Each structure stands twice: as C-alpha cells, then as structure tokens.
Amino acid sequence: MFHPRRTLRALLLPLAAGLALTALPAQTAQAATTLTNGGFETDGAGTATPAGWSTYSATGQNSASFTESGGHAGSYRLSHYSASAYKVETYQYLSGLTNGAYKLTAWVRSGGGQNSAYLALKNCGSAEQRTDLPVSSSNWIRIVTSINVTNNQCTISVNSDANAGNWINVDDLTFTSGSTGLSVKGADISSLPKSEAFGGVYRTASGTAGDAVGILRSAGMNYARLKVWVNPADGYNNKTRTLALAKRIKASGMKLLVDFHYSDTWADPGKQTKPAAWSGHSYSQLKTDVYNHTYDVLNALKAQGTTADMVQVGNEINGGMLWSEGSTDNWSQLAGLLNSGYSAAKAVSSGTQVALHLANAGDDATVRWWFDSARTYGVNYDLIGLSYYGYWHGSLAAAQTTLDDVASRYAKPVFIAETAYPFRLDSDDALVNQIDTTGELVGGYPATAAGQLAWMNAVANIVEAVPNGRGLGVFYWEATWTAVTGNGWDPADASSGNGWENQALFGFDDRALSSMAWFAHR
C-alpha cells in the first residue's frame, strides 16, 4: 500500500517493451487514453495475456499471469500463481493522457507470502507510486493508488515477486481523474513523558540517542494523539503534562489530537468511570464538569500557542461515558454530555475538529446503531474515529465495510483512532504481553518489524480507499510505550508492567523500528 517508503526493485521490463505500442495490437488506437478490459471479461478464462494488457516475467514465467473464473463483480479475474517461485508483471500502457492527477482503483485478494505483491503507476513523469496488496484470502478488498501524470502517459502495473504457491487475484480496475492520500499519519505518544522521567531512552535506527518526537517526525509522522485524564494517581496524562508535551509536538511541526477520557484512568468499552472529583454530581452538574474540563485544557493549550487541531470527546464510548449517567441506556443524557464537550471545544477554537471514537471497526452493525442513535438525539460532531485491532476486531474487509458505510451514511470523514501490531511476541518486562502467541496474530502478518509494517500499510490502504476522500488517516497506538520500570499500565501502581512493549515502534534495544516507514505513506 505504500509507495516511496521503501526501496523496491527497479523496473523489470525493458523500456522499449514498456513503451512499445506494437505489443498491443489493433485495440491500442482506441484504448490509448482509457483503461481497456479492467474487469478481465473480454477473453474468458485461461488467457495469459488478457486483451489490452501485456505480460512480462523476469523468470520466463508469463504463464504465472492468467485470467480465470471467479471475478469480483463479473465472471472473470486476473490471477498470479505458479507452483514454483516466480516474478511476473501484468501491465497496460496508456498514452495521450491529459496531464494531471489520476487514481487507480482495484479490487484485490492475496494469500500472502510474496516478497512483494503490489499495484504500481509508473513511467508517468513523476515518482512511481505503489500500493501493496493486503493479505486477504477470502474477501475482496478495494485499494487505490494515485499519481500526477506530467508526460501524457502512464503504465498501470500488477506485480508479483512470489514464492512457490503464492497467489493474488485482481479485478475491476478503473483509472480516472482524482488523487488519494492520507492527511493523518499519526501515533499516540501519551506514555512518553513518564517513560523519559523513569529513564526511558529512544534511539534512531542506527543507535544514536535522540528525542522520540523528533525521531518519529523524521520518519514522516505528522500528528500526535495525547490522552487526558482528570486527576490521575501518578500525575501523568493530566493537564500540566499535556501542555508540556504539546509544546514539543507543535515545535516539531506536527498537529495535535487531544483525547479526553473524562476519567482519572483508562476509559474504554468495558469501563467509563467518573473522575473521583465528579463522583457525587448530578447529571446537570456533570454536563458542566465536561464543559469546564474540556474548555480548561483546550484553552490552556491555545493560550500557550499550541491549539488542538482535533479533539476526541470520550474514548471508545461504545457504551457511553461517565457511567451510569452517560450510559447508552440513556441516550438523551449521553447526548447532552457529548454536546457539552463539543460546545467547549468549539468555544475555544471553532477550527478544532471534534471526533467521536468507538472501538471495533469490524462491527458495522454496532457502529451504525451507535451513530444512528447519535443522529436521533442530535449529537454534534465533525469526525468519526474507530479503533481497529485486527487480532480482536475482525478482518480487513470487515473494517473496510464499516469505514465505507459510516463515511457515506453520515457524510463525515473517518479515521482509525487506534491500531497496532507486534514486532515480536516475547516480553521485555515481567508482565505477559497482550498479544504473545502466534495463534493470536492476523493470518499473513508475522510478528516481525516487516509484519508490523505490512499491517500498518494494509490499514492505511483501506482508509485511503474510503470513497469521496473521506478517509483521513491512522493513529498508531502506542508508539513510545517501551518497557521502562515505573512506567506500567496502572497509574496507581508503580510496579505494574507493560503488556504492550512488543507493539511499540521502538525495539527492545530502544532503536526506531523499520516499521516506522508507514508514516511515509502518500
């Protein structure tokens, strides 16, 4: 899914072959400015070189590319497969294009395991753009790639560098005016101040100690997410610490998302505990509490020149927040609390975007029920944020369905507010990791830095493919939470450990992992 971010091998095909119209007889003339046979329906099954397309194999295995039955929308599809290792490219050269931005869309499946499997736009006068095929062996997934054509031509390429038995399916390609990309390539780094206070060190990939914010920024991260607790037991993730870290984030050139939990500790679908200071308050007073707390933190950020660009009113509020008054058992009260937070954010800065954040992007029915209810009760918001952990929340295809559905149904931009993946399974401290066995992993994505990168590319791809430009981007959770004694999960217990250090973006040697390359997504 990602493109300039990692070095991929040079074009296999000789320039002359890539540009020779003689390779595409008869239909070339009328097909020069539009994609021909994007659904692979013209020839039926068993065609090695479908009409309008050319095939090239550096290993002499053109037969590894072929049409077969079982299309996405129509009867047939393009497949790459061989019982032995192979490299094959199926490509189409377009000329006579009007210069400008173009978007390639395709439906794909892949059994995984390839050295690389991707769609590319190349020879277009600007840097080649690639999108890796996500691993999805049963469900079709839509992916996109875009490029700026500056020389009136472009080559559309389907590539596999594969091991024996690896396969992909590709179908229903379109090539139209338009562009894609993600405006948010972010991460939650709430753990950083406490980590540093307890001796946490962060290093570049080559081992030089440095500032984690700067290291992440140089990898391409452009947005930081910080959680805010009201009165946490350890004094971290409170207003004061948030203000200090916000200065570093903004000084690095990144934008800021402030994630209000409205609690003294973790809030998520299983717990939404009121702050101790608000515990005896009436519903009417809780609305004032939400307003005042939200306004106070955001106004202090604004006053120091670090205005929040985005705000979450609540964290994973599938069941509401500030239980029991703000439970989804009482939607009218929940709506009142959410609107208090929205009003406070807008009173500080009308340009700050307000998001509502649910867990489980793989569960379209629940997300739809929740936002239908929000609409019924008049809840104000600008953006929809969803957590998506593939080892808990279902397939990439299920998450894509939800993202596409809610973006269209509510006409709002969507983003993945949290996702992560392990780069290893063992622990760097005494606490067992949340994900620590191969059986918990997503199929096709190993617990390696390369697997972590591939996962992030896949998640970014489905967000980028949300129609009408409504896919904003992705936040990684939690980039800087390495194993540091004293920086455990429980703010009330200094000896608590970290079950998540194998999903940070810094390794057990404190060095930046190669998976940070996902931040360079287009």
Side-chain angles (χ1 to χ4, degrees):
M1 122 193 124
F2 70 113
H3 326 322
R5 15 180 157 157
R6 74 187 194 211
T7 306
L8 289 154
R9 71 190 71 244
L11 295 184
L12 297 174
L13 116 125
L15 186 62
L19 302 183
L21 293 178
T22 53
L24 309 177
Q27 82 270 15
T28 304
Q30 80 269 17
T33 58
T34 59
L35 186 64
T36 299
N37 193 23
F40 303 100
E41 298 295 306
T42 302
D43 313 287
T47 301
T49 303
W53 295 85
S54 300
T55 306
Y56 174 76
S57 172
T59 51
Q61 295 159 283
N62 281 18
S63 60
S65 171
F66 54 92
T67 56
E68 62 180 339
S69 58
H72 164 255
S75 300
Y76 303 100
R77 67 194 184 208
L78 175 72
S79 295
H80 286 180
Y81 167 82
S82 177
S84 57
Y86 64 95
K87 296 179 185 178
V88 72
E89 176 186 20
T90 311
Y91 67 95
Q92 186 167 149
Y93 167 70
L94 302 179
S95 63
L97 297 172
T98 302
N99 287 339
Y102 286 83
K103 177 175 73 170
L104 176 70
T105 302
W107 288 88
V108 302
R109 297 191 297 200
S110 172
Q114 299 90 348
N115 300 314
S116 62
Y118 59 91
L119 302 182
L121 297 173
K122 61 187 184 182
N123 307 329
C124 312
S126 57
E128 177 177 341
Q129 295 292 307
R130 296 182 177 184
T131 298
D132 291 345
L133 270 60
V135 179
S136 179
S137 56
S138 54
N139 298 303
W140 291 94
I141 293 177
R142 189 183 63 259
I143 61 174
V144 297
T145 307
S146 67
I147 199 161
N148 189 33
V149 173
T150 63
N151 59 357
N152 305 113
Q153 63 188 33
C154 198
T155 298
I156 294 161
S157 171
V158 181
N159 264 274
S160 293
D161 176 354
N163 299 299
N166 294 163
W167 61 269
I168 64 169
N169 302 147
V170 178
D171 205 0
D172 295 334
L173 290 91
T174 61
F175 187 67
T176 56
S177 294
S179 59
T180 67
L182 298 178
S183 58
V184 173
K185 283 137 334 189
D188 196 304
I189 55 170
S190 301
S191 64
L192 183 58
K194 190 173 181 181
S195 173
E196 291 173 332
F198 282 83
V201 175
Y202 298 88
R203 301 182 183 276
T204 65
S206 60
T208 305
D211 172 26
V213 174
I215 292 169
L216 289 161
R217 183 70 185 102
S218 20
M221 178 171 149
N222 67 3
Y223 227 119
R225 178 180 186 254
L226 301 181
K227 67 174 172 280
V228 176
W229 290 337
V230 176
N231 188 22
D234 61 359
Y236 286 88
N237 301 297
N238 63 4
K239 174 186 169 183
T240 301
R241 306 278 187 183
T242 299
L243 288 168
L245 186 49
K247 284 185 177 178
R248 293 168 61 186
I249 289 163
K250 289 284 190 165
S252 79
M254 288 195 241
K255 291 186 175 181
L256 173 65
L257 163 57
V258 177
D259 171 19
F260 286 98
H261 283 226
Y262 302 110
S263 182
D264 292 333
T265 186
W266 304 96
D268 56 46
K271 52 189 176 298
Q272 296 282 338
T273 306
K274 288 195 286 283
W278 306 359
S279 61
H281 291 182
S282 66
Y283 166 65
S284 177
Q285 181 60 44
L286 287 171
K287 284 199 293 183
T288 302
D289 292 334
V290 167
Y291 187 97
N292 289 345
H293 170 61
T294 306
Y295 187 94
D296 178 50
V297 173
L298 295 179
N299 195 52
L301 285 165
K302 180 183 178 181
Q304 70 171 15
T306 60
T307 301
D309 300 281
M310 195 188 300
V311 168
Q312 280 179 222
V313 177
N315 187 78
E316 295 189 331
I317 52 176
N318 300 52
M321 65 186 198
L322 294 167
W323 288 347
S324 59
E325 286 80 358
S327 161
T328 49
D329 290 338
N330 190 334
W331 255 102
S332 62
Q333 290 194 172
L334 173 57
L337 294 168
L338 294 172
N339 283 339
S340 281
Y342 177 91
S343 297
K346 294 296 186 178
V348 172
S349 168
S350 61
T352 295
Q353 297 283 284
V354 177
L356 300 179
H357 170 213
L358 303 189
N360 200 349
D363 183 359
D364 186 40
T366 294
V367 176
R368 182 188 275 212
W369 163 79
W370 200 97
F371 280 97
D372 277 358
S373 301
R375 183 160 60 187
T376 297
Y377 287 93
V379 176
N380 297 311
Y381 65 100
D382 304 311
L383 311 171
I384 293 172
L386 302 173
S387 294
Y388 177 51
Y389 296 100
Y391 37 71
W392 293 329
H393 295 155
S395 69
L396 285 159
Q400 179 164 74
T401 295
T402 304
L403 290 166
D404 292 353
D405 181 38
V406 299
S408 168
R409 187 174 179 85
Y410 310 108
K412 303 283 188 184
V414 296
F415 64 97
I416 295 299
E418 298 180 18
T419 189
Y421 206 74
F423 61 90
R424 58 195 290 170
L425 293 172
D426 57 327
S427 294
D428 198 24
D429 64 8
L431 185 65
V432 172
N433 289 332
Q434 290 279 337
I435 304 298
D436 66 343
T437 65
T438 54
E440 294 171 295
L441 298 174
V442 179
Y445 295 91
T448 61
Q452 189 182 44
L453 173 58
W455 175 256
M456 289 309 298
N457 287 339
V459 173
N461 278 342
I462 63 170
V463 177
E464 186 185 20
V466 172
N468 301 311
R470 290 196 177 118
L472 280 186
V474 181
F475 288 92
Y476 193 86
W477 201 93
E478 214 265 18
T480 56
W481 199 16
T482 53
V484 175
T485 303
N487 190 22
W489 68 271
D490 186 352
D493 179 3
S495 67
S496 63
N498 177 0
W500 209 267
E501 77 274 11
N502 66 324
Q503 301 192 63
L505 294 181
F506 291 87
F508 289 5
D509 59 1
D510 301 322
R511 295 186 182 204
L513 293 168
S514 55
S515 47
M516 278 190 198
W518 89 265
F519 287 122
H521 186 282
R522 128 186 96 237

